[in-house]
Amino acid sequence: MNMGWQHYLDINKDRFEQELMDFVRIPSVSARPEHMADVERAADWVTARLRAAGIENTAILPTTGHPAVYGDWLHAGADKPTILIYGHFDVQPAEPLDLWTSPPFEPEIRDGRIWGRGASDDKGGMLIPILSVEALLKKTGRLPVNVKFLLEGQEEIGSPDMPPVIAAERDRLACDMIFSADGLQWSADAAQIVMGLKGLVGVEITVEGPATDQHSGLHGGGINNPLMALSQLLSSMKDTQTGRITIDGFYNDVLDLTEEERAQIARVPFDEAEYLAETGAPAPFGEEGYSVRERLWARPTLEVNGLTGGYQGEGSKTVLPARASAKITCRLVTDQDPEHIAGLIRAHVEAHTPPGVTARVDRLAGDADPFLVPRGHNATRAAEEVLAETYGAAPFVTRVGGSIPIMTLFLRELGVHGVMFGFSIGDENLHAPDEFFRLENFRRGQAAYCRLLEKLGG
C-alpha cells in the first residue's frame, strides 16, 4: 500500500480546511426560492473543485429544480471496479438565526471544530472523497479504481428531481459499487456500518360530516362529530396495550429478524435511561416482543403526525366541526411496499369509518422503499475492513429508522446496493443551530477513502 497520499493530506491540511470554510460560506439552502442562485453557485464551486482534484468529464446536470454535478476518472482499466461516490451540497435553512453562536454562513474554527450550516451535513462529508482522490492522483498519477461522482443540490428537500435524472443518466452512472459520503459514524471514536433503512409512506385521512360547523348544544347527539369519528378511526389502527398495528395484512410482507440480526442489534450499546432522558418521554412504548432498538431499526410503524379539526383558540367554543383530518406516516421495513400499505390503510378506513360521516384517504408525497443490504455484500465488507483499520475496532452493525430515498433510487435504477461511508456524527446539530463538523473526522475520512479505493483496487 502506497502511503504517499497520507503525506499529501498532512501538508495540505490547512488548505483543505480553508476550502471547506469557503464552501460553507455559500448559503445553498434548497428549500428557499431566494437561494436558488446560491445552490447554482455551490454547483459551480463543486464542479471547479472536482476539476482541480483531477476529475474529468465534469458536467452540471440540469433538472427542473436545483442542479446536480457529475464527474469521473475512468483510466484504471476494465478489470478494475467502477465506484460511484454520492453526496449533496445543499443545506437546511439556518433559522432561528438568534440561536447561533456565530453566523451560520460565516464559518469559524473553534475547539477543533468548524462551525457553520452544512459543515457536517454534507459539505464536509462530500468534500472528503474529492480530497482523497486528489491526494491519490497527485502522489501516484492514477487511481486504483474507476471513479464517478454524483453530487446533488436538492437532497434536503427530498431529491424531487433526481429520479428522472438518474433514469436518464443510467448509462453514464453505471457502476459496480456505490458509496455515499452523506452518512454518520456511531460516535466520535466508534464506527458503524448501516445495513438497513426504513421505507416511508404517508396519507391524510379526512372525515366530513355536516356541511358547516354546527352548535354542539343544538346538534350534539343528533349528528356525528367528524373529530370524534376520526379519533375512533385512528384508535382502531393500533392496539393500545401491545403497540401492534391492527390493520389487516399490515405485517404480511415484513421480513422478520433472524437470530443473528437480533444479536447484532443487541451488541450495539443502548441505555434506556439515557434514551428516555434524551427524548423526555416518561417510558418506552412500542410493539410487544421486541427491544426498543429493534422497534426503532427493524419493525414497521404507524404514527399520527398531525391532527386538524374544531376550535383551536384559547378558551371554549361549543362547536361541532364540519370536518377533521389527520396526517399519518408509516415507516416500512423489507419487504413492505408503500403502494400496497397505502391500499391497506384505505381499505381499513373504508371498513371502520363510523356511521354518520364520510372519510377519504389521500396520498402524501415522499414515498421511499425500505432498503436492506444483503449479507456478504462485497462493498460493505470492504468498508467494514477499512473502518476497522481506521478506528482500531470493528464497526457496529446498525440500521436507521429514517428513510433515504436516494439509496433505494440507486438500487432501482442502477441495480446496486449503496454503502453509507460518511464521517459526520449525530450530535453535530445537523439540522439545528450551531451545526459543526469535527476536524479530526474530516481528516480521518480523507485517509479512510484513500484506504477504501486502494483496497477495492486490489
Side-chain angles (χ1 to χ4, degrees):
M1 180 181 293
N2 187 328
M3 289 290 286
W5 48 260
Q6 184 63 66
H7 178 66
Y8 185 87
L9 295 175
D10 290 342
I11 63 174
N12 286 283
K13 176 180 74 69
D14 292 342
R15 174 169 68 91
F16 293 161
E17 291 174 5
Q18 288 302 311
E19 287 179 336
L20 178 54
M21 293 181 74
D22 291 341
F23 196 14
V24 172
R25 286 190 183 97
I26 303 173
S28 48
V29 181
S30 54
R32 298 287 175 79
E34 64 267 27
H35 286 293
M36 178 168 282
D38 294 312
V39 180
E40 293 172 354
R41 186 155 58 98
D44 291 336
W45 191 96
V46 170
T47 303
R49 193 61 190 81
L50 286 171
R51 290 180 188 142
I55 295 298
E56 303 168 343
N57 302 311
T58 58
I60 292 180
L61 307 180
T63 75
T64 55
H66 298 301
V69 174
Y70 174 84
D72 62 38
W73 190 95
L74 304 175
H75 306 295
D79 59 327
K80 298 294 184 180
T82 297
I83 311 305
L84 177 66
I85 297 174
Y86 165 82
H88 69 90
F89 50 85
D90 64 317
V91 302
Q92 282 279 319
E95 287 79 4
L97 300 179
D98 60 337
L99 296 183
W100 287 79
T101 302
S102 53
F105 298 110
E106 297 176 20
E108 294 184 0
I109 292 178
R110 305 189 304 270
D111 305 319
R113 304 170 175 187
I114 177 170
W115 301 79
R117 172 57 85 228
S120 180
D121 183 21
D122 174 44
K123 288 181 174 178
M126 61 146 282
L127 184 55
I128 283 173
I130 298 174
L131 303 179
S132 302
V133 163
E134 177 180 304
L136 287 165
L137 286 173
K138 294 294 185 182
K139 298 308 293 185
T140 67
R142 59 186 296 103
L143 299 177
V145 293
N146 302 297
V147 173
K148 298 178 179 181
F149 283 91
L150 179 65
L151 308 167
E152 65 159 311
Q154 51 182 259
E155 190 274 344
E156 297 292 4
I157 54 173
S159 306
D161 305 307
M162 293 307 290
V165 169
I166 293 176
E169 300 288 347
R170 192 180 293 117
D171 292 340
R172 178 152 47 171
L173 297 174
C175 58
D176 300 299
M177 302 177 185
I178 297 173
F179 293 91
S180 171
D182 182 22
L184 303 174
Q185 293 305 327
W186 182 254
S187 69
D189 303 307
Q192 70 174 342
I193 283 288
V194 177
M195 298 298 289
L197 302 164
K198 288 186 179 179
L200 179 68
V201 64
V203 300
E204 183 167 13
I205 301 171
T206 302
V207 176
E208 296 181 311
T212 62
D213 289 357
Q214 300 294 326
H215 190 298
S216 65
L218 296 177
H219 298 286
I223 58 177
N224 204 349
N225 181 329
L227 190 53
M228 180 65 74
L230 176 62
S231 301
Q232 294 163 343
L233 185 55
L234 295 174
S235 181
S236 73
M237 294 182 176
K238 187 182 288 188
D239 188 295
T240 59
Q241 299 302 311
T242 68
R244 189 169 176 83
I245 296 161
T246 52
I247 295 173
D248 286 346
F250 189 88
Y251 294 97
N252 284 0
D253 297 323
V254 171
L255 187 64
D256 288 329
L257 287 167
T258 66
E259 289 304 314
E260 178 185 356
E261 289 169 334
R262 298 188 84 165
Q264 284 179 334
I265 292 173
R267 281 196 290 269
V268 180
F270 180 76
D271 186 308
E272 185 174 294
E274 287 184 6
Y275 176 69
L276 293 177
E278 176 187 342
T279 61
F285 177 76
E287 188 183 359
E288 196 171 68
Y290 296 91
S291 70
V292 173
R293 188 75 87 188
E294 288 170 345
R295 297 172 199 155
L296 293 173
W297 287 355
R299 296 298 295 173
T301 66
L302 182 149
E303 302 294 349
V304 178
N305 305 127
L307 282 172
T308 302
Y311 177 63
Q312 306 291 333
E314 292 184 17
S316 175
K317 182 180 180 183
T318 55
V319 64
L320 193 159
R323 64 183 51 81
S325 63
K327 293 181 186 293
I328 291 175
T329 53
C330 297
R331 298 287 176 170
L332 310 178
V333 299
T334 310
D335 289 316
Q336 290 180 302
D337 173 67
E339 186 73 32
H340 180 62
I341 295 299
L344 295 180
I345 295 172
R346 184 172 286 109
H348 183 92
V349 169
E350 290 173 356
H352 292 81
T353 298
V357 295
T358 62
R360 72 171 189 271
V361 177
D362 297 309
R363 294 287 296 277
L364 299 175
D367 281 9
D369 293 319
F371 178 84
L372 185 65
V373 177
R375 296 181 201 169
H377 185 238
N378 54 359
T380 298
R381 282 201 311 270
E384 284 184 284
E385 292 171 4
V386 168
L387 289 173
E389 295 169 9
T390 302
Y391 284 81
F396 293 120
V397 178
T398 69
R399 302 187 186 198
V400 175
S403 306
I404 305 179
I406 197 73
M407 300 297 277
T408 52
L409 180 60
F410 283 143
L411 180 59
R412 183 171 69 245
E413 296 292 344
L414 305 180
V416 179
H417 282 88
V419 178
M420 281 184 280
F421 201 71
F423 291 86
S424 296
I425 309 298
D427 67 356
E428 291 176 342
N429 299 328
L430 275 62
H431 288 192
D434 276 353
E435 180 178 350
F436 67 90
F437 192 32
R438 291 174 170 86
L439 291 175
E440 178 184 8
N441 276 356
F442 184 50
R443 295 188 289 270
R444 178 182 271 158
Q446 295 164 33
Y449 263 95
C450 287
R451 289 192 181 99
L452 177 66
L453 297 180
E454 288 188 332
K455 184 177 290 291
L456 295 174

